[in-house]
């Protein structure tokens, strides 16, 4: 089969959804499919390239930051994609499109369906689902008719977690399948054990309100001096506030600010710490949790949908109640003083993701879904 994947961000640009589109494309290609990707251009990246047998085309659009884009920037991607779409359909001859996010990619799938009769699948990623991100509630009300039309016309709608599925079906009453994210356990792997008399704690992600980093710093500051080392990987709008807060809490010397890292650099950080923390207020299906678990790290995470679908509390990590801050400190204290339990949880975390979360499974799930929802797609020939 021939697939065209559409996402406004694609590595090295973007976050979790970019990684998902990258790994999905590679895994579909490894299964023998012909895969092309339409994404946004950034900086000096090549406009067209072939990566692991996947043809990637980056179209000119406005984007000022590597890690995130705003609604206007997404709109410029959508408009540019409309102009390029006829050429791509002739050039790639896809049997189906997989569009990441209802917006801005959904209208591209809708246009391909309306004007070329091509089926498309929608991959929900989080912010495009009403009810997950409170700041977007007003926008979702405004775009509700378009969003629902895109979902109604799709051959299938996929979410990466049960929590996201429930939110989407509650908002739009359209059936959603669940295909969880995967993780490359060959790349993300443990290293030889490093000894330390401190608990090395890691956070990876955008420095924004959703990630609840003010809570993290305030709780970490309650630990005894000399017992911990906090590593923060990422950047975002709260960076200045967080640096100032660390100073006020007198923990600035105990915090290591890494900024955004390449994939190889991030692996080395995973391999040099003792646990991952993810205190988010809400999540879709966090890739960083999967990556940390694949590296043999126990995870301390807020008990919210997405997190609680990955972390088996007491087995692969520990979940805590956001309304009970002491439960977070209790989890930290347990990993600090029970080294054997920490190592056991880390080992079980890796085995859990190896058995249940692979990008090959994601690709096979999409492949099966296409065959179920688009009869005769295997034998369809396009001239």
């Amino acid at each position: 089969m021939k697939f065209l994947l559409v996402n406004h961000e694609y590595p090295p640009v973007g976050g979790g959804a970019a990684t998902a589109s990258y790994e999905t494309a590679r895994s579909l290609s490894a299964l023998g499919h012909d895969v092309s990707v339409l994404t946004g251009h950034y900086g000096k990246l090549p406009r067209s390239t072939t990566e692991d047998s996947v043809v990637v085309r980056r179209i000119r659009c406005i984007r000022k930051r590597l890690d995130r884009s705003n609604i206007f920037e997404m709109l410029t991607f959508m408009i540019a994609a409309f102009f390029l779409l006829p050429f791509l359909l002739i050039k790639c001859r896809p049997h189906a499109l997989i569009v990441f996010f209802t917006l801005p990619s959904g209208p591209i799938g809708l246009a391909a369906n309306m004007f070329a009769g091509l089926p498309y699948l929608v991959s929900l990623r989080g912010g495009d689902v009403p009810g997950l991100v409170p700041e977007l509630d007003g926008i979702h009300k405004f775009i509700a008719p378009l969003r629902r039309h895109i979902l109604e016309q799709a051959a299938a709608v996929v979410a990466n977690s049960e929590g996201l599925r429930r939110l989407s079906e509650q908002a739009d009453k359209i059936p959603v399948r669940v295909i969880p994210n995967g993780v490359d356990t060959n790349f993300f792997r443990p290293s030889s054990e490093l000894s330390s008399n401190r608990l090395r704690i890691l956070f990876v992600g955008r420095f924004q309100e959703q990630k609840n980093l003010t809570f993290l710093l305030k709780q970490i500051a309650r630990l005894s001096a000399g017992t911990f080392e906090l590593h923060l990987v990422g950047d975002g709008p709260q960076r200045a506030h967080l640096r100032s807060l660390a100073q006020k809490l007198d923990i600035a010397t105990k915090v290591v600010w890494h900024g955004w890292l390449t994939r190889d650099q991030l692996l080395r950080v995973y391999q040099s710490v003792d646990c991952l923390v993810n205190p988010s207020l809400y999540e879709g299906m966090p890739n960083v949790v999967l990556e940390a678990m694949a590296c043999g790290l126990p995870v301390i995470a807020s008990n919210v949908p997405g997190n609680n679908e990955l972390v088996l509390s007491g087995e692969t990590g520990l979940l805590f109640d956001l309304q009970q801050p002491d439960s977070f400190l209790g989890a930290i204290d347990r990993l600090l003083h029970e080294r054997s339990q920490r190592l056991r949880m880390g080992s079980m975390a890796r085995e859990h993701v190896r058995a249940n979360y692979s990008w090959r499974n994601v690709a096979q799930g999409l492949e099966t879904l296409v065959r179920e929802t688009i009869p005769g797609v295997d034998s369809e020939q396009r001239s």
Side-chain angles (χ1 to χ4, degrees), residues 27 40 66 70 106-107 112 126 128 144 153 173 225-226 238 356 371:
S27 298
L66 186 71
N70 58 38
D128 55 340
Q153 297 304 310
K173 314 301 180 186
Q238 288 193 323
N356 298 284
R371 290 195 170 108

Side-chain angles (χ1 to χ4, degrees), residues 249-269:
L249 295 171
D250 197 26
I251 59 172
T253 60
K254 302 175 181 66
V255 180
V256 181
W257 305 84
H258 292 274
W260 287 115
L261 300 178
T262 66
R263 196 165 181 251
D264 289 337
Q265 292 170 331
L266 179 57
L267 172 63
R268 289 193 289 272
V269 173

Side-chain angles (χ1 to χ4, degrees), residues 21-291:
S21 56
Y22 169 78
E23 296 289 0
T24 299
R26 290 176 65 219
S27 298
L28 284 170
S29 178
L31 291 176
H33 300 296
D34 189 341
V35 183
S36 299
V37 173
L38 175 61
T39 188
H41 186 260
Y42 179 83
K44 296 182 179 180
L45 291 172
R47 296 289 299 279
S48 182
T49 185
T50 300
E51 306 169 7
D52 297 320
S53 301
V54 175
V55 178
V56 180
R57 291 181 172 84
R58 295 181 172 90
I59 54 174
R60 290 200 178 278
C61 56
I62 297 173
R63 188 182 182 110
K64 295 181 179 180
R65 295 184 62 99
L66 186 71
D67 60 307
R68 65 183 183 271
S69 60
N70 58 38
I71 293 174
F72 172 74
E73 291 170 342
M74 293 180 194
L75 182 61
T76 66
F77 166 78
M78 185 175 70
I79 293 171
F82 276 131
F83 284 101
L84 187 63
L85 185 62
F87 165 79
L88 280 183
L89 297 185
I90 294 172
K91 179 78 173 177
C92 303
R93 298 184 180 182
H95 296 100
L97 282 74
I98 301 175
V99 298
F100 289 76
F101 296 103
T102 310
L103 291 169
S105 299
I108 310 307
L110 185 63
N113 180 254
M114 291 176 61
F115 299 114
L118 287 171
Y120 64 95
L121 277 65
V122 176
S123 177
L124 303 174
R125 307 310 304 179
D128 55 340
V129 177
L132 184 69
V133 184
E135 303 95 294
L136 298 179
D137 286 348
I139 294 173
H140 275 298
K141 289 180 181 178
F142 179 73
I143 66 171
L146 174 60
R147 184 187 67 246
R148 288 173 185 153
H149 186 58
I150 290 168
L151 297 178
E152 287 169 349
Q153 297 304 310
V157 181
V158 177
N160 57 16
S161 71
E162 283 291 339
L164 211 57
R165 177 192 66 78
R166 289 193 295 269
L167 279 176
S168 180
E169 291 184 347
Q170 180 180 345
D172 295 320
K173 314 301 180 186
I174 295 166
V176 177
R177 299 279 196 96
V178 175
I179 300 178
N181 283 348
V183 63
D184 183 349
T185 56
N186 291 321
F187 180 83
F188 291 105
R189 63 196 185 278
S191 68
S192 57
E193 184 184 338
L194 299 173
S195 61
S196 174
N197 57 1
R198 295 181 178 182
L199 184 68
R200 295 158 301 188
I201 304 165
L202 173 66
F203 167 85
V204 181
R206 291 190 177 107
F207 297 172
Q208 58 189 25
E209 186 176 353
Q210 171 207 351
K211 297 303 183 179
N212 206 18
L213 292 174
T214 296
F215 167 90
L216 175 61
L217 292 184
K218 287 181 177 179
Q219 297 308 311
I220 287 290
R222 296 171 62 189
L223 296 173
S224 299
T227 61
F228 73 93
E229 187 177 277
L230 178 61
H231 294 256
L232 299 178
V233 173
D235 202 347
Q238 288 193 323
R239 180 182 178 183
H241 161 70
L242 294 171
R243 281 187 173 273
S244 175
L245 181 61
Q247 291 284 352
K248 291 178 182 178
L249 295 171
D250 197 26
I251 59 172
T253 60
K254 302 175 181 66
V255 180
V256 181
W257 305 84
H258 292 274
W260 287 115
L261 300 178
T262 66
R263 196 165 181 251
D264 289 337
Q265 292 170 331
L266 179 57
L267 172 63
R268 289 193 289 272
V269 173
Y270 280 134
Q271 293 176 334
S272 68
V273 299
D274 299 303
C275 67
L276 178 88
V277 293
N278 187 19
S280 294
L281 300 175
Y282 52 86
E283 281 288 357
M285 173 65 70
N287 284 335
V288 297
V289 170
L290 287 168
E291 292 167 358

